Each structure stands twice: as C-alpha cells, then as structure tokens.
Amino acid sequence: MNIGGEQDIVIVGGGICGLATALALHRKGIRSMVLERSESLRAAGVGIIMQPNGWRALDHLGVAPKLRQTCIEIPSGLFIAAEKGKFRESELPLGKGELRCLKRRELMKALAEALPAESVHLGCRVVSIVTDPLTFDPVLQLHDGTLIKAKIVIGCDGVNSIISKFVGVNSAKLFSRCAARGFTYYEHGHPFHDKFRLHDSGDVGLGQLPVTDKLAYWFLTRSLTSQDMSDSKKDPAYIKEVSVEALKGFPEKMVEMVKATDPNALYLTELWYRTPWDIARAKFRKGTVVVAGDAMHAMCPFISQGGGASLEDAVVLARCLSEKLKQAGNQSGDRRKMLIEEALGLYVKERRMRVFWLSLQTYLIGLTMDNTSKMKKALGIAGLILVFGDQKGHTDYDCGHL
C-alpha cells in the first residue's frame, strides 16, 4: 500500500496509545493510518499494571475480555519495609476495583489484531512535520523522503515526540531514578499467590506482581547512575548484575527471582516526566495536529497510570472526533476543518485536568523520593493516593463510552 500523498488521519507512533487510538477510531467507523518507526510492534517494559480506569477503557475498546484471560486479578497488597535489619509487613492499600498485571506484548497484540489489515505501517520513521503554506494542512516527512499530507495528525510518538515539539509542548525531564523490569517463570508455580508485594529498603524499592500462577512480574527502582545511561543498560547481564547488587539485604527469594529472570525479558529504563505546570499550560494542539499518551503527559510509573491514561486518551479523542465529524457530514473545506479543530480542542479540554492531577500525584511522590531518599515516605503518599484517589478521579475515573 502506498502511504505517501494525501491521507485523512495519520497516527504517529505504534505503541499502546497509537494502536488504542486507531482502534477507538475504527470502532467509530473512522479510518486511520498508524506509522511506527520500528520494524516490529514495540513491547518494551515487559509488564504493565492496569488499574480499574484502564480496564474500563479496554472494555470500551472491546479487547478487555480477551486480555482478562491472560492474567489473574490481584485483590490485595503487602508492603514490606526494612527496619533495623528486619522486614516488617503491613497492608498495601490498592484502592477499589479491578487490578491486574498484563504482559505488554499481549496488550499490543490484542489491540493490533482488532484493527483492519494494513492499518499499521512498520519501519516508517517520521523525521519532520511542517504546515502546508497554502492549505495549512500538516505535512509529514519520513526518513526515506516520503511526504504525507494529512487532514489530521495524532502524535502518539512517546517521550521524545517530534509531534509534541511541533505543537509547542516542553521537553520531558529526566528523573534521578531508574527502573529495571523483568518476568520470572516458575515451572511449579510461584510462591506469591495473588498479592501485589512491595519491598522497601531505603533507596531501593522492589515490586512483585503475579501475572499467572506461574509467571511473576517484578520491577526494581533505584538511583540512576551514569553507566545506566550508557549502552550497557541494554545488556541483560549488566541489568541482572546491578539489580542483584541493589538487592543486598532483601529476602533471598526476591534475589533468586531476579537471578532466575529470562535475559530476554530484562529491561532497564530511565524515568521521564512532564511537570504539572507544563501540563496545565501546554496547548497540546496546533491546527489539526494533536498529541496523546506519553507525547502529551509522560509521567513516572509511581502510581501506575501511564498506560491507563493513554488508553483513556484514545477513547476520548475518538469520541470527540466522531461527534464533530458527524456534524460535518459530507461538508469539505474550511467548515470541516473548523469542526475538526473544535473536536481536538474539546479533547484537550477534557483531558487537561485529568492528566494534570495524575502528573501532580506522580511528581509529588518523585519529589519526596528525591529529597529524602526514603522510599517509605513516598510510598505512604502513593498509598494515600491509591486509597483516596477516587475522590480526585484516580482509579474510579471513567473516560466515557465510545
């Protein structure tokens, strides 16, 4: 299929948000094209914690029933803190509603398989975006020189988004911590049952969640070093070595869990975020170009809402566009463009305070961790957010039906 020339809706980025946006539009009868720079669908990050608001969005997208078959529900949590050389257990509040840990690959696969054939174009790296001086439509240039003139461009191209720079969003900032993630398979079943366990040893935090009765997902957060930002961060041997080193003093079964991780399921990533004040004042839209997902609201994973918020973006954006396109009918030209801009403006307005609150919560937790180097205080704030978050629309939030 020739992707050059004129197109109606182009989604830049084939991650969770890009695929979800394409699917949301498809369910409203609206065609779109997804451009993904990688040669295969991205699934970095291993696992993704999905809270009730994320499951509501997945229900609206029609893929939740299939995904629920791939992971077990997690009804309770345990916080295990180091005190005077010993670990003390207490309840970890998880809030209300459905909580599960998904394999990112399963989520990406479910979204992609629900799309029409040839919706996603791999190996298509967008290098620039400009505005046509005559029609004011956005024009995308790919790495091979291909030009695409689109009626609508939706930037779902992540933290270092080209599209977010075009609309005027400030660059994301790097947090002083990093996260290692992995899957560990237990042939005879893991010993963690159905609990979300969170271990704290001062500067190091280790989370463990069951995916199935034999598969466990874990994440480890610690201070970021210069070596973590070098090419060695991609080396599974390095990731395992520094993770095991960081776990000195932790229960042996936690150390063994990391040692037994499949090297192909190990990732080490920096943590990026956009400040709450940037979220509050950013435009997020320029003409018929708009952003969603991490390109809009990159946030550290302290309250596990990056994925859920991106799914919400997809549903809200498709709903707003569909309503205005119905009003446009068969109209073309300036009237249709005006209605499209109104739709994107409504989407931005609806999402701004939602993602502001999520970004503020993650920022406050990160600030506490940064200033005190005491994970417990930060996790205390996180627990309060999880418990009382429904009052601010945290996990009880519903993005509305498609």
Side-chain angles (χ1 to χ4, degrees), residues 19-20 23 41 63 106-117 119-120:
L19 294 178
L23 180 55
L41 290 179
V63 297
E106 294 287 351
L107 174 56
M108 298 280 286
K109 180 181 177 183
L111 294 171
E113 288 181 347
L115 287 170
S119 294
V120 182

Side-chain angles (χ1 to χ4, degrees), residues 113-337:
E113 288 181 347
L115 287 170
E118 297 189 336
S119 294
V120 182
H121 300 268
L122 302 173
C124 296
R125 179 166 58 91
V126 175
V127 295
S128 69
I129 176 172
V130 296
T131 301
D132 185 291
L134 296 177
T135 64
F136 300 104
D137 288 332
V139 179
L140 299 166
Q141 181 178 344
L142 305 189
H143 68 287
D144 62 359
T146 299
L147 296 178
I148 302 174
K149 186 175 181 181
K151 298 299 182 185
I152 302 170
V153 170
I154 303 171
C156 302
D157 48 338
V159 174
N160 299 310
S161 166
I162 289 176
I163 309 304
S164 66
K165 291 177 183 177
F166 173 78
V167 301
V169 179
N170 288 339
S171 298
K173 294 177 173 59
L174 184 63
F175 192 54
S176 63
R177 298 183 72 81
C178 64
R181 300 175 171 95
F183 281 130
T184 304
Y185 181 77
Y186 295 80
E187 185 176 354
H188 302 294
H190 58 67
F192 310 118
H193 306 293
D194 60 357
K195 288 186 179 295
F196 177 2
R197 284 173 165 78
L198 198 52
H199 290 74
D200 164 40
S201 179
D203 290 336
V204 177
L206 177 69
Q208 173 275 318
L209 299 94
V211 180
T212 66
D213 59 349
K214 293 185 178 182
L215 187 68
Y217 168 64
W218 61 267
F219 61 87
L220 184 151
T221 59
R222 57 174 176 79
S223 296
L224 180 69
T225 68
S226 57
Q227 191 171 359
D228 295 327
M229 300 178 68
S230 66
D231 289 341
S232 62
K233 73 177 183 180
K234 299 178 182 179
D235 181 7
Y238 170 78
I239 300 172
K240 186 172 291 190
E241 179 184 350
V242 295
S243 296
V244 169
E245 178 67 22
L247 290 175
K248 283 186 176 178
F250 275 73
E252 187 58 29
K253 65 180 180 181
M254 296 292 100
V255 179
E256 290 300 321
M257 177 182 67
V258 174
K259 288 182 177 179
T261 300
D262 180 355
N264 295 321
L266 273 170
Y267 291 87
L268 178 64
T269 56
E270 301 100 352
L271 303 181
W272 295 88
Y273 70 97
R274 300 191 194 280
T275 62
W277 46 90
D278 279 343
I279 298 292
R281 64 191 180 193
K283 294 187 181 300
F284 296 131
R285 178 184 73 86
K286 184 177 181 180
T288 59
V289 180
V290 74
V291 290
D294 284 349
M296 183 185 200
H297 48 69
M299 62 183 83
C300 295
F302 306 133
I303 60 171
S304 304
Q305 279 295 335
S310 295
L311 294 171
E312 293 173 5
D313 292 344
V315 174
V316 174
L317 180 51
R319 170 164 40 83
C320 290
L321 265 176
S322 174
E323 290 172 357
K324 289 297 180 179
L325 289 177
K326 283 180 181 178
Q327 292 182 29
N330 295 323
Q331 296 182 61
S332 59
D334 292 343
R335 172 62 178 168
R336 187 178 183 84
K337 180 173 288 190

